[in-house]
Amino acid sequence: MQTQPDHAYPTHWEADVVLRDGGTARIRPITPDDAERLVSFYEQVSDESKYYRFFAPYPRLSDRDVHRFTHHDYIDRVGLAATVGGEFIATVRYDRINDQGLPAKDPEDDQAEVAFLVQDAHQGRGVASALLEHIAAVARERGIRRFAAEVLPANSKMIKVFTDAGYTQKRTFEDGVVRLEFDLEPTEQSMAVMRGREQRAEARSVQRLLAPGSVAVIGTGRAPGGVGRSALRNLLDSGFTGRAHAVNHAFPEDMDRLEPEGVPAVRSLREIPDPVDLAVIAVPADRVPDAVRDCGEHGVQGVLILSSGYAEAGPEGRERQRALLRQARSYGMRLIGPNAFGMINTAPSVRLNASLAPQMPGAGHIGLFTQSGAIGIALLSGLHARGPGDGGIAGISAFVSAGNRADVSGNDLLQYWFDDPDTDVVILYLESIGNPRKFARLARRTAAVKPVVVAKGARHNGTAPPGHTVPTVRIPDSTVAALMQQAGVIRVDTVTELIDAGLLLASQPLPAGPRIAILGNSESLALLAYDACLTEGLRPLRPHVLAPAATPEDFRAALAQSLARDGCDAVVVTAIPWVGEADGAVPGASEGAALAAALRAAAAADPAKPVTVVHLAMEGLAETLAAPGEPSGPTAPSQDGPPAPPREPAQAPPAAAPPSDPGAPARSSNDGPVRTAPHPPRPVYPPHPPRPPARPSAPAQIAAPAPSRPRPAPVRIPAYPAAERAVRSLAEAVRYAAWRRGAAEPGRVPEYDDIQETAAGDDIERLLGRLTPGVDPGRSIRLPADDAGELLARYGIRTRPALPAPDADAAVRAAVRLGFPVALKTTAPHLRHRADLGGVRLDIAGQSELRRTYAELTEFLGSPEVLRPVVQAMVPRGVDTVISAAIDPAAGAVLSFGLAGAPSQLLGDIAHRLIPATDRDVADQIRSIRAAPLLFGWRGSQPVDTTALADLLLRVSRLVDDHPEVVGVDLEPVVVAPHGLSVLGASVRLARPPATTDLGPRRLPVY
C-alpha cells in the first residue's frame, strides 16, 4: 500500500463551508484526539438516525468503534467531520474495498464504501451534501474513482443526497437495502449542482446579514458620540423595522433602557432573552474576541465589526485578524470587516442602516459594494447628489463596505445580487481580488442577467492595500481588465465613472446597437457629443441642432422624432439655457424643470430606447429628470431577468448606413454652417469563422436566476455636465448589451478527432517521473524540445524542426536534410527572435551562402557556443504572431495572443482569454488586438488564414484545460500565411498540479 510519510495529517483537507441556511461549518479530518467529541456527538443522535446508519439498534459506540472511527491512515480509510463551535455535527467516512466489497489489499483497487451520520438538529442544512463534495475530492486525490453506499429504503433524505449530487450512478435493490454506486469523476451536471448549492448558500448567508430581525450594538457608549452610539443612532434613524439592543458591560446594573434612544440596554448578550441575528461590534480590538465569543454562545448569525487595529496595523494586527476569522467561523457566523464602514438595506420591510453613514440613502435598485470606507462615503454622497430620495434615479437596494473583508467579500455579494429581484445594477469598488478565478466565474454569470460595473484601485503596484490579507495577483492589470471584459464586467477607472455608468444602466433600457442620435440647441455641445461618440467607437448620426431659443415643446418633438427612427438605438440630448424671447420660452429657474417634463414625456412615449442628457448651467434640469416619476405605462421588467425584447433585442437591428457626409451634421435652418473634421473609417473584419464540432463548456455554464418581480418603470433620465461623461457611459452600455446578446448564445469548446488526450496524459506522467526527481514540488520544469514537440503533436500542433548547427559543416548537413532555402537563427536568450540585431538570417539559397552567413554570424555576434545556432526550413511568408498559455495561481489558466515583436513586447498589444476558451472567445480574441488589421488585409495586403489561427488557439486551450500539469505553453513565432500557418518555436512547462483548485469542492477562502 502507501508508505508511512503519506499518513501525515492532510491539513489541505480542512475547509470552511457555507451551509444551505447561510450558517458556516468547518470540515476537517478526524483524528485520534476526537474520541470524546465523537462519543458526545453520537449521544445526541436519535435512535432512528443510528438505525439508518447501522441497520440495527445501536444505542452507543463501543471502545473498539471509537478507535476504528477516529484512527485513519488518510489513504484507504478516511473520516471527515463537520464542526460548529468545535463540536461534531456530522461525520462521513470511506473504506477502500475490492470488487467483492471486502477491505482492499491491492493499491490498485479504486472503489470505496462511504457512509454518513448527521446530527438530527442539523439535518436539512445541507451538511451531508457539503461532506459528500469534500470526501469525493479526497477520494479522487487518493486514487479512488467510485463510491458505493448501502442505504435503507426508508432513509429517503440520504438517498436524495446521493441522487441529487449529479454523478453518474447505478442503483440496485437487494435484501431490503438500496445499493448506490457512482463514479467520482466530475460531470457537467455535478459541477452545476455544486455551483448552484454554493450560490444559494452564500446568497442566503448575505441575506441573513442584510435582513436581521434583531440587532445588538456592542460597545454603545453611555454618552452621546463615539462609534457605537453613532451606529445605534443611525440604525434607529433609518426606521429599522426589527428590534434593537444597546450592549455595554459598563452600563450600571440598574439601567435597563438607553435614553433618549429608548432602546433596551444590557451589560451582556446573555441578558437578551430573544434571539439576536446581527451584532454590530464597536469595541477596542483587544476586547473584540470576548464580544465574538458572547455572540457565538448566544447563537448570533453574523457580526459586523467596525473596530480597527487589525491587518491594516501591521503583522501583529494581521495575526489578530486571522484569529478573529477563525473564531467567528468556529461558531458558524459570517463576518463583515473588521475595520468596516457598515452596511445598509433600504427594503421597506427592513430599513437597516448598520453603518457610520448618518443619512439613510434613498431606496432604489443599485447594489453597492466597496472595500474602502472612504470610497463608500464618496459613492453614497455622489449618488445622493445625483438623485436623492426613495425611488430616485440614484437609489440603492443595498450597500456593504467590508473594510479589511476578512470574510464577506465582493464574491459573496455577487452571489446574493445574482437573483435579488430588488437589484438591477451591481457596482463594485475593489482594491484587491482574493480569488480572481471565482470572481470571473461569478461576475460572468451575474453579468448575463444584470450589469456589473467595477472600478479597481491599487492597479499598478501589484500589492494589496493595508488590511487586505490576500495573495498578490502577479498578472498585470491589462490582463485583469481583459478577463473582466470577457466576463461581461463593465470596467471603469474612477468613482465618478462608477456613478455615471451605474445611473444610466439603472434607469435606461439597454441599447440595441451603436447608432446614436444627437439633438440639442447648441451646435458646439452637439459636436462635442458627436466627437465623443466617435472616440468611443459608436456610430453617431448627424446631429439635429435646434435653435438656441428652442422651447421645451421643440425638444419634446425632436426627441420623439429621434426615438421613432428605425436607424436610431439611443439618443443624447444636449441643452444650454435658452437664448432670446421666443414664444413659449420659460425664463428663470423654472426652465430646467419645464425642459425635464418635456423630455420625460417624450421618453415615456417610447421607453424601449435609452436617453441621456448633457446640460450646461440648466438649473433644476438634472434634479427633475432624476426624481421619481409616474410609471411610463407598461410594466417593465428589471434587468435581472431574461432580457425582454424592448430592453435588449435578441439581435441588434441592422446597422444604419453611414451619412453621406459624416463631417456635416444636420442642422435647423436658423443655424449657421457647422463643420467637423472627417474621421477615418473603422476597420471592418470578416465575420467569425464557422464553428467546428463542439462539446459544451461546463465551467462556463450560466444559471438563470429566479424570475424577478415586475414593477412599474418610472421615466428617469440621467443627466451629465459634460458630453464626454454621458457618451462614455452610453458606450459602456452599448458594449455590455452586445456582450449580453453574445452570452445568450455562448460559444463552444470544440471536439477534435485527432486529439490524443489519453496518450498525452501518459506522456506527461512519464515526463514528470523522469524529469522531476529532486525538483521542488511547486517548481515547474521545461521540456526538452523533442519532448515538447511530441506532446504538442498529440493535440495536432505541429512544430517545424530546428536542427542544431554547432559549426558550419553541421549547418550545411542540416540544410541538406531540410532542403533549401533555409533560415539560420541563434537561440541565445539575448538574441532569440531578434532579426533586427542580426540574429536571424532568412532565405539562404545554397551551401556557399550558408557557410558565408555562418561565418558572418559568429564573427560579429559571438562564438557558436554562445549563439547556439540552429537551421530551419523556410516557410511561406505571413504575419508573425505569438501564442501562449499560462497558469496563474490567482487567475487560473489564461490564453494569450498577439503579434510577435514590438506590438506585443513594446506596446503590450496582447489579448487574453480564460481557459477553456470557446470558438467565440478566440474569434473575438484575434480581432481585439489593436494590430488586428494586419491580419485582415490592411492597406491592400493579402489577408492571412485566421481560421487556422483560431484552430491553433483552441488546441492550445484544450491542451492546458485537459491536463492541469501543463502550466505553460509558448509558441513563438507562429507565422500565419494566407493559407495555413507554421509554428517555428515552441516550449512547454510541466508541474505537479496543486491539491485544490476552483474546480474542487466549495470552500470559503482563508488568507
Side-chain angles (χ1 to χ4, degrees):
M1 300 297 287
Q2 303 283 343
T3 58
Q4 185 64 27
D6 289 334
H7 296 192
Y9 179 83
T11 56
H12 65 278
W13 292 352
E14 297 179 349
D16 294 306
V17 298
V18 183
L19 303 178
R20 182 182 301 155
D21 62 356
T24 67
R26 183 161 186 79
I27 295 176
R28 64 170 178 82
I30 298 174
T31 71
D33 295 335
D34 290 320
E36 291 185 8
R37 292 187 183 89
L38 180 64
V39 171
S40 175
F41 157 73
Y42 194 76
E43 289 175 349
Q44 299 177 62
V45 175
S46 70
D47 290 340
E48 181 184 50
S49 294
K50 293 173 183 176
Y51 186 87
Y52 285 153
R53 169 64 176 86
F54 294 103
F55 299 0
Y58 215 90
R60 63 187 58 86
L61 295 176
S62 67
D63 292 344
R64 182 179 179 181
D65 291 330
V66 173
H67 183 275
R68 182 162 61 96
F69 293 151
T70 56
H71 288 69
H72 306 93
D73 62 7
Y74 303 125
I75 298 173
D76 300 317
R77 301 186 318 278
V78 173
L80 301 180
T83 67
V84 173
E87 300 300 322
F88 286 9
I89 65 170
T91 62
V92 62
R93 63 177 281 118
Y94 78 66
D95 293 271
R96 193 189 297 260
I97 59 177
N98 60 23
D99 292 338
Q100 287 74 43
L102 301 175
K105 303 295 185 184
D106 187 340
E108 297 301 317
D109 289 329
D110 62 356
Q111 183 175 202
E113 189 171 46
V114 65
F116 294 78
L117 185 59
V118 181
Q119 206 172 85
D120 294 64
H122 295 277
Q123 292 178 10
R125 300 184 63 199
V127 184
S129 298
L131 282 173
L132 177 58
E133 292 178 16
H134 284 261
I135 197 71
V138 168
R140 288 194 297 268
E141 182 181 330
R142 294 312 195 199
I144 292 172
R145 296 291 174 259
R146 189 167 63 259
F147 270 166
E150 293 186 345
V151 188
L152 291 176
N155 193 357
S156 57
K157 292 181 181 178
M158 200 67 247
I159 293 175
K160 183 174 175 59
V161 168
F162 290 121
T163 56
D164 288 352
Y167 296 110
T168 303
Q169 299 185 7
K170 183 175 74 172
R171 181 172 176 170
T172 59
F173 182 79
E174 187 176 351
D175 297 331
V177 174
V178 177
R179 181 176 177 85
L180 297 168
E181 296 182 9
F182 48 96
D183 295 332
L184 298 183
E185 189 66 27
T187 65
E188 183 178 346
Q189 183 181 357
S190 70
M191 291 300 300
V193 168
M194 186 170 66
R195 297 304 187 217
R197 287 172 174 166
E198 176 193 57
Q199 187 274 325
R200 290 188 295 273
E202 294 181 2
R204 173 60 178 157
S205 73
V206 173
Q207 193 270 338
R208 297 202 314 178
L209 292 168
L210 285 172
S214 60
V215 176
V217 181
I218 303 175
T220 302
R222 299 174 59 185
V227 174
R229 191 69 176 259
S230 298
L232 178 63
R233 184 76 259 170
N234 297 340
L235 177 68
L236 298 175
D237 289 346
S238 68
F240 177 55
T241 59
R243 301 180 305 277
H245 303 271
V247 182
N248 190 330
H249 75 282
F251 284 158
E253 293 186 6
D254 59 350
M255 180 178 174
D256 62 0
R257 190 161 292 275
L258 183 67
E259 300 296 347
E261 288 83 357
V263 301
V266 296
R267 293 166 52 86
S268 170
L269 280 178
R270 291 189 296 271
E271 301 176 25
I272 302 175
D274 300 319
V276 174
D277 299 323
L278 174 68
V280 180
I281 299 178
V283 300
D286 59 350
R287 287 172 46 201
V288 169
D290 293 336
V292 172
R293 184 196 63 239
D294 291 344
C295 292
E297 293 176 352
H298 195 71
V300 174
Q301 295 179 350
V303 291
L304 166 63
I305 300 182
L306 306 178
S307 312
S308 58
Y310 288 89
E312 80 282 358
E316 183 178 347
R318 185 174 297 110
E319 290 305 314
R320 187 184 299 121
Q321 179 168 307
R322 288 171 176 155
L324 169 66
L325 178 60
R326 289 194 297 269
Q327 184 186 23
R329 286 183 176 170
S330 72
Y331 289 107
M333 299 185 296
R334 298 302 307 266
L335 181 153
I336 294 181
N339 195 29
F341 184 71
M343 59 184 178
I344 296 170
N345 184 354
T346 64
S349 60
V350 182
R351 298 294 297 176
L352 173 74
N353 181 8
S355 78
L356 299 179
Q359 186 174 14
M360 183 74 166
H365 304 289
I366 297 175
L368 186 59
F369 175 86
T370 75
Q371 294 171 354
S372 161
I375 300 300
I377 295 171
L379 283 168
L380 290 175
S381 299
L383 288 169
H384 179 78
R386 299 284 290 272
D390 291 345
I393 196 172
I396 68 169
S397 59
F399 163 80
V400 176
S401 181
N404 293 3
R405 67 153 188 77
D407 182 19
V408 174
S409 69
N411 284 348
D412 294 286
L413 271 297
L414 282 173
Q415 298 277 42
Y416 172 70
W417 281 322
F418 167 64
D419 56 3
D420 175 34
D422 293 323
T423 301
D424 290 345
V425 178
V426 173
I427 292 180
L428 307 174
Y429 175 80
L430 307 175
E431 290 174 340
S432 61
I433 303 176
N435 189 342
R437 195 183 312 197
K438 182 175 179 180
F439 173 81
R441 171 169 58 86
L442 300 185
R444 182 183 183 93
R445 185 191 59 191
T446 304
V449 294
K450 62 185 68 174
V452 178
V453 189
V454 174
K456 187 179 181 300
R459 290 177 292 164
H460 300 299
N461 56 13
T463 60
H468 293 240
T469 54
V470 299
T472 300
V473 178
R474 296 196 297 270
I475 55 178
D477 182 68
S478 60
T479 306
V480 176
L483 300 184
M484 285 189 179
Q485 181 182 6
Q486 183 184 1
V489 172
I490 300 170
R491 173 80 181 271
V492 299
D493 295 327
T494 67
V495 171
T496 299
E497 291 176 354
L498 270 178
I499 296 173
D500 285 347
L503 292 183
L504 187 141
L505 292 163
S507 62
Q508 300 299 302
L510 294 176
R515 299 164 300 181
I516 311 301
I518 302 170
L519 65 92
N521 63 342
S522 165
E523 297 173 349
S524 300
L525 199 53
L527 289 177
L528 284 175
Y530 186 89
D531 290 341
C533 287
L534 295 177
T535 300
E536 293 292 337
L538 302 177
R539 300 183 59 184
L541 308 179
R542 289 178 293 179
H544 181 185
V545 181
L546 305 174
T551 65
E553 174 57 26
D554 295 332
F555 273 90
R556 187 205 62 75
L559 178 56
Q561 180 183 9
S562 295
L563 290 171
R565 294 178 61 180
D566 291 337
C568 164
D569 299 313
V571 180
V572 176
V573 178
T574 62
I576 61 173
W578 298 317
V579 178
E581 298 294 335
D583 294 340
V586 183
S590 63
E591 63 180 358
L595 178 57
L599 296 177
R600 291 176 74 154
D606 194 344
K609 296 178 182 180
V611 177
T612 185
V613 173
V614 180
H615 68 97
L616 298 179
M618 292 287 288
E619 185 178 350
L621 176 61
E623 294 82 355
T624 308
L625 288 172
E630 293 299 321
S632 62
T635 299
S638 64
Q639 289 182 352
D640 53 348
R647 297 185 64 81
E648 184 183 355
Q651 293 183 344
S660 56
D661 182 3
R667 47 180 309 284
S668 61
S669 57
N670 49 0
D671 283 315
V674 177
R675 295 184 178 86
T676 59
H679 56 281
R682 299 179 65 82
V684 178
Y685 304 144
H688 292 174
R691 300 178 181 176
R695 65 176 181 180
S697 175
Q701 277 192 336
I702 298 173
S708 58
R709 181 177 68 252
R711 55 176 175 264
V715 178
R716 298 162 302 174
I717 302 175
Y720 303 86
E724 295 79 11
R725 287 172 56 182
V727 172
R728 187 178 301 118
S729 299
L730 187 58
E732 297 290 4
V734 169
R735 287 188 282 267
Y736 167 69
W739 177 89
R740 186 139 148 204
R741 287 190 292 272
E745 186 186 349
R748 307 285 289 178
V749 177
E751 282 285 3
Y752 292 100
D753 294 335
D754 60 341
I755 283 182
Q756 304 171 34
E757 182 177 344
T758 302
D762 294 340
D763 289 347
I764 290 169
E765 279 301 313
R766 174 177 52 79
L767 292 167
L768 285 172
R770 190 185 87 202
L771 301 173
T772 57
V775 178
D776 240 1
R779 297 286 299 276
S780 64
I781 50 106
R782 180 171 175 170
L783 295 184
D786 291 344
D787 292 325
E790 290 176 8
L791 179 59
L792 292 170
R794 298 287 192 189
Y795 274 71
I797 302 170
R798 313 293 175 185
T799 58
R800 294 291 181 129
L803 303 182
D807 53 49
D809 291 336
V812 170
R813 289 194 298 271
V816 170
R817 176 180 170 186
L818 295 172
F820 287 99
V822 296
L824 179 65
K825 305 189 296 187
T826 65
T827 59
H830 66 289
L831 293 172
R832 188 174 176 84
H833 307 309
R834 292 300 306 273
D836 56 322
L837 298 181
V840 180
R841 306 295 175 90
L842 304 176
D843 289 319
I844 302 173
Q847 296 186 18
S848 58
E849 183 181 353
L850 177 57
R851 291 182 183 277
R852 184 175 64 255
T853 303
Y854 194 96
E856 293 174 356
L857 200 69
T858 53
E859 179 181 354
F860 291 108
L861 296 180
S863 66
E865 292 77 14
V866 173
L867 299 181
R868 290 179 280 178
V870 297
V871 175
Q872 202 167 36
M874 289 296 297
V875 299
R877 295 296 180 96
V879 178
D880 289 0
T881 65
V882 56
I883 293 172
S884 65
I887 306 291
D888 184 88
V894 179
L895 180 68
S896 304
F897 166 75
L899 298 196
S904 58
Q905 296 176 2
L906 180 63
L907 303 179
D909 187 16
I910 304 173
H912 309 276
R913 293 295 183 269
L914 287 174
I915 291 173
T918 67
D919 53 356
R920 181 182 293 275
D921 289 334
V922 299
D924 291 338
Q925 183 179 20
I926 292 170
R927 290 158 174 78
S928 65
I929 60 173
R930 295 191 298 277
L934 294 173
L935 302 169
F936 295 97
W938 183 64
R939 300 187 69 175
S941 61
Q942 189 172 2
V944 300
D945 193 347
T946 53
T947 300
L949 179 59
D951 180 79
L952 178 59
L953 284 163
L954 288 168
R955 290 176 182 271
V956 172
S957 172
R958 277 289 307 274
L959 171 63
V960 176
D961 187 47
D962 291 344
H963 305 283
E965 300 88 352
V966 180
V967 296
V969 175
D970 290 287
L971 308 181
E972 184 181 9
V974 177
V975 181
V976 189
H979 302 285
L981 54 76
S982 303
V983 180
L984 301 187
S987 68
V988 177
R989 302 192 70 86
L990 300 182
R992 294 288 181 186
T996 58
T997 69
D998 189 48
L999 297 179
R1002 51 190 154 127
R1003 61 175 59 214
L1004 288 171
V1006 178
Y1007 304 124

